[in-house]
């Protein structure tokens, strides 16, 4: 994806926080996190200059004076049938704003609203009639249960969507489980059968993307592909699509959970398959301002699947 941005000449694979195969670069920029581990890793390359958060006389990870905001609305992300915290309860900085702030501090102007990527030339994957269901996620805390994805995929198929299930090679078994539970044939499973550029082409040309808070959701934003994204434990105010883009629905129950937990938290599990399918129906119907269901008890979505 970095190559598709048009801002880099080459990409070198490296293990998380592992050695970087570059010696004495003129400049190293830490876009991994606040450090200090990632910053220390870059220092081993002996760069002439290093840009990162929380260096002496450099920008702070936490912005002075509160969270900087890209959005002009309430900062919650667009929601469907589940609620979202208001900005006064959730004063977190959007990640895209954070990284643009880092570059701006070192004199590089950038636009946090410029999220578009070039479309890869993969004509064999440019099928505009498919709906992508991407059930995987890098962190266990963001992995919605497979049976819920299966119910969503079945509901999409019943609505006339031609569903494909994507994922990496390590997620092939999960994709097959979702497809089987949805009554889809083996041809619907593309997990492990596409490289990253194939996946980009699929998302760029798709009718709809339904996914968790993961990279495929960011691709949908970058390509303007309509999407419904299931969030938890981190709110869409941080990682979600900009709230002023009506092609995207970010579903969140308004509950913060541990993003490093070994299993999904109560907030993610509070989003149901029915919530996702309702958001799909509203999106397909062109609803600009979907209603938010709030029950007297304070619960924001129903129990079960």
């Amino acid at each position: 994806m970095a190559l598709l941005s048009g801002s880099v000449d080459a990409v070198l694979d490296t293990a998380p926080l592992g050695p970087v195969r570059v010696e004495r670069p003129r400049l190293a920029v830490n876009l991994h996190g606040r450090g200090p581990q990632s910053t220390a890793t870059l220092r081993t390359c002996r760069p002439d200059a290093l840009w990162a958060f929380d260096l002496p006389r450099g920008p702070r990870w936490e912005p002075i004076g509160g969270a900087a905001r890209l959005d002009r609305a309430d900062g919650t992300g667009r929601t469907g049938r589940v609620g979202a915290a208001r900005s006064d309860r959730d004063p977190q900085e959007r990640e895209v704003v954070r990284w643009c702030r880092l570059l701006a501090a070192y004199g590089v102007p950038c636009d946090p609203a410029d999220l578009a990527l070039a479309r890869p030339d993969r004509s064999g994957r440019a099928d505009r009639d498919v709906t992508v269901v991407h059930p995987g996620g890098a962190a266990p805390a963001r992995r919605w249960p497979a049976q819920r994805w299966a119910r969503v995929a079945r509901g999409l198929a019943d609505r006339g969507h031609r569903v494909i299930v994507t994922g990496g090679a390590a997620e092939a078994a999960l994709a097959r489980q979702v497809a089987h539970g949805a009554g889809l044939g083996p041809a619907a499973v593309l997990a492990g059968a596409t490289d990253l550029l194939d996946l980009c082409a699929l998302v760029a040309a798709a009718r709809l993307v339904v996914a968790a808070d993961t990279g495929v959701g960011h691709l949908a934003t970058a390509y303007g592909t309509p999407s419904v994204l299931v969030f938890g434990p981190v709110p869409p105010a941080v990682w979600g699509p900009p709230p002023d883009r009506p092609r995207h629905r970010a579903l969140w129950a308004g509950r913060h959970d541990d993003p490093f937990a070994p299993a999904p938290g109560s907030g993610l599990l509070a989003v149901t398959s029915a919530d996702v399918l309702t958001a799909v129906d509203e999106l397909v119907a062109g609803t600009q301002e979907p209603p938010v269901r709030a029950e007297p008890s304070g619960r924001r979505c129903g129990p079960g699947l």
Side-chain angles (χ1 to χ4, degrees):
M1 288 188 288
L3 290 173
L4 294 174
S5 72
S7 59
V8 301
D9 298 314
V11 175
L12 300 177
D13 289 335
T14 183
L17 297 181
V20 180
R21 293 181 289 113
V22 176
E23 285 291 329
R24 298 302 300 269
R26 292 177 59 190
L27 172 66
V29 183
N30 184 3
L31 298 177
H32 178 272
R34 72 182 302 171
Q37 295 92 339
S38 51
T39 301
T41 297
L42 286 180
R43 281 200 176 101
T44 65
C45 300
R46 297 179 296 162
D48 292 340
L50 174 62
W51 296 356
F53 281 113
D54 293 343
L55 296 180
R57 298 180 298 279
R60 303 292 94 190
W61 177 265
E62 298 297 340
I64 297 173
R69 293 260 177 212
L70 166 64
D71 52 278
R72 295 178 298 277
D74 64 0
T76 60
R78 188 169 296 275
T79 60
R81 305 278 306 177
V82 294
R86 295 176 58 85
S87 57
D88 56 354
R89 288 173 49 199
D90 194 26
Q92 300 186 62
E93 184 176 28
R94 294 184 69 83
E95 283 294 304
V96 65
V97 174
R98 185 188 303 280
W99 298 113
C100 286
R101 179 169 59 82
L102 171 69
L103 297 179
Y106 287 102
V108 178
C110 50
D111 180 3
D114 182 9
L115 303 176
L117 288 177
R119 293 173 179 253
D121 184 14
R122 297 290 175 100
S123 57
R125 295 296 186 184
D127 191 335
R128 297 186 178 278
D129 190 36
V130 300
T131 289
V132 174
V133 172
H134 191 88
R142 288 189 274 126
R143 294 175 193 158
W144 210 41
Q147 66 269 26
R148 300 196 186 189
W149 286 116
R151 181 166 292 197
V152 167
R154 175 73 269 171
L156 290 168
D158 289 344
R159 286 160 169 78
H161 292 251
R162 187 155 65 90
V163 179
I164 59 171
V165 186
T166 59
E171 297 166 333
L174 170 62
R176 289 192 295 269
Q177 180 183 356
V178 170
H180 177 75
L184 305 176
V189 178
L190 294 186
T194 61
D195 62 20
L196 182 56
L197 290 181
D198 286 336
L199 183 61
C200 289
L202 279 168
V203 171
R207 173 185 180 184
L208 174 70
V209 168
V210 185
D213 169 22
T214 189
V216 167
H218 301 314
L219 284 177
T221 300
Y223 290 121
T225 302
S227 65
V228 175
L229 308 177
V230 180
F231 272 77
V234 179
V238 178
W239 280 108
D244 59 351
R245 302 192 183 194
R247 286 175 173 261
H248 311 290
R249 300 287 189 270
L251 305 185
W252 186 51
R255 304 179 195 174
H256 293 266
D257 292 305
D258 180 5
F260 303 105
S266 62
L268 182 62
L269 296 179
V271 182
T272 70
S273 301
D275 290 321
V276 173
L277 291 170
T278 297
V280 168
D281 291 339
E282 292 170 344
L283 188 60
V284 170
T287 301
Q288 297 300 307
E289 296 295 335
V292 175
R293 185 178 70 205
E295 300 177 9
S297 65
R299 290 169 50 198
R300 302 188 179 220
C301 48
L305 298 177

